[in-house]
Amino acid sequence: MVSEIKNNYAYVLFSNEEIVGTFCIKDIDSLSELTIDPKSNYLFQIALLPEYQGNNYGSEITDFARSFAIEGKKTIYLDCWAGNEKLKGYYLNNRFEYLGDFPEEDYFISIFKYN
């Protein structure tokens, strides 16, 4: 079950009353060098305890984020290090659209969206 912390964008994922992960969603108007839809959402700082990874909790997070964006009639974006092929494949398998790789200081990020 996902529950909201009172700062309006940080969320905690529970399993049997134990915290197993966290993530954040915030409003954005820009993302790297990419032109995005105004007043979009950004899913970031996704973290799951290692023993809960691979158990569909990540899908619960992305499903929640998509529903959050749909309810707000917004597009949601997320990113990851461009070299993380496993995570990039995971986002593609969870219906996010790959938009490309963009420079960030001394590395590249891969950006994805869902609308």
Side-chain angles (χ1 to χ4, degrees):
M1 165 181 273
V2 176
S3 66
E4 184 174 358
I5 294 177
K6 297 298 179 194
N7 66 5
N8 297 321
Y9 68 90
Y11 297 86
V12 177
L13 185 65
F14 289 92
S15 177
N16 299 322
E17 298 183 18
E18 179 181 0
I19 295 173
V20 299
T22 63
F23 62 97
C24 299
I25 299 173
K26 68 178 180 178
D27 291 335
I28 59 170
D29 290 318
S30 64
L31 185 59
S32 191
E33 298 176 358
L34 182 65
T35 302
I36 66 168
D37 302 325
K39 297 186 179 178
S40 295
N41 290 137
Y42 176 57
L43 172 61
F44 68 110
Q45 294 182 339
I46 302 167
L48 285 172
L49 291 172
E51 60 268 28
Y52 292 93
Q53 294 173 7
N55 293 309
N56 233 17
Y57 290 105
S59 293
E60 191 169 332
I61 291 170
T62 54
D63 289 348
F64 177 86
R66 281 194 302 273
S67 295
F68 183 90
I70 289 167
E71 286 177 22
K73 297 182 175 140
K74 297 181 178 183
T75 300
I76 191 154
Y77 293 85
L78 57 79
D79 61 30
C80 67
W81 172 57
N84 191 337
E85 296 299 327
K86 182 177 178 182
L87 188 54
K88 288 166 57 174
Y90 175 81
Y91 291 145
L92 289 171
N93 288 336
N94 278 273
R95 301 178 301 188
F96 282 85
E97 177 187 350
Y98 172 70
L99 300 177
D101 293 341
F102 298 86
E104 284 285 319
E105 297 178 20
D106 60 347
Y107 60 95
F108 281 80
I109 60 170
S110 295
I111 298 178
F112 299 82
K113 80 171 185 175
Y114 181 88
N115 62 343

